[in-house]
């Protein structure tokens, strides 16, 4: 078995077989960005409330448009719910209702005043009214 296929170093061999993504990661580490730094940066970028596919569809279908201020308030209400140990929270804000999965920081569904008229919400363990 001939392993040496005219490569003079391991770097040449790995350069041939490794993808560009791996090379980029190696370059980032060499340029001072460790895995931990990259992870922390990704976390910082992803902080803030997210919307599930279902919630996004409900927002669009129900013509619910949130301002930056409302998004900030929704984010703050999720932090309050987390501090209180709530896992699935009802957030009522400006005649709108949101069901938020607090651990994943994700809005599960959104309702405006007409859909929330029944005043019955299930599968929650807390509410934040802002």
């Amino acid at each position: 078995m001939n392993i040496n296929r005219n490569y003079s170093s391991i770097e040449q061999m790995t350069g041939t077989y490794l993808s560009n993504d791996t090379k980029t990661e190696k370059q980032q580490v060499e340029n001072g960005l460790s895995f931990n730094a990259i992870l922390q940066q990704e976390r910082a970028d992803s902080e803030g409330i997210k919307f599930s596919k279902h919630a996004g569809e409900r927002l669009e279908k129900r013509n619910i448009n949130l301002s930056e201020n409302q998004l900030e308030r929704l984010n703050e209400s999720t932090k309050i719910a987390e501090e209180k140990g709530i896992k699935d929270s009802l957030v009522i804000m400006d005649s709108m209702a949101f069901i938020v999965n607090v651990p994943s920081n994700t809005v599960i569904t959104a309702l405006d005043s007409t859909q929330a008229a029944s005043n019955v919400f299930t599968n929650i363990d807390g509410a934040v009214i802002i």
Side-chain angles (χ1 to χ4, degrees), residues 57-66 96 112 115:
E57 290 169 355
R58 293 297 175 260
L59 289 169
E60 186 177 326
K61 179 181 176 185
R62 295 170 179 161
N63 293 322
I64 300 172
N65 297 308
L66 298 172
M96 295 178 283
D112 64 14
Q115 285 84 33

Side-chain angles (χ1 to χ4, degrees), residues 23-85:
K23 290 178 189 175
T24 302
E25 290 173 17
K26 184 178 178 182
Q27 288 170 349
Q28 288 175 335
V29 171
E30 289 172 356
N31 292 332
L33 293 177
S34 67
F35 173 77
N36 191 37
I38 294 168
L39 179 63
Q40 294 303 322
Q41 183 178 4
E42 287 297 318
R43 281 187 180 163
D45 291 344
S46 66
E47 281 185 20
I49 199 81
K50 299 177 288 254
F51 292 84
S52 69
K53 181 179 178 183
H54 174 80
E57 290 169 355
R58 293 297 175 260
L59 289 169
E60 186 177 326
K61 179 181 176 185
R62 295 170 179 161
N63 293 322
I64 300 172
N65 297 308
L66 298 172
S67 68
E68 285 295 321
N69 179 284
Q70 289 171 320
L71 285 172
E72 288 175 24
R73 291 170 49 212
L74 190 56
N75 232 348
E76 186 61 33
S77 68
T78 304
K79 290 177 186 173
I80 292 168
E82 182 177 37
E83 290 169 3
K84 298 294 182 182

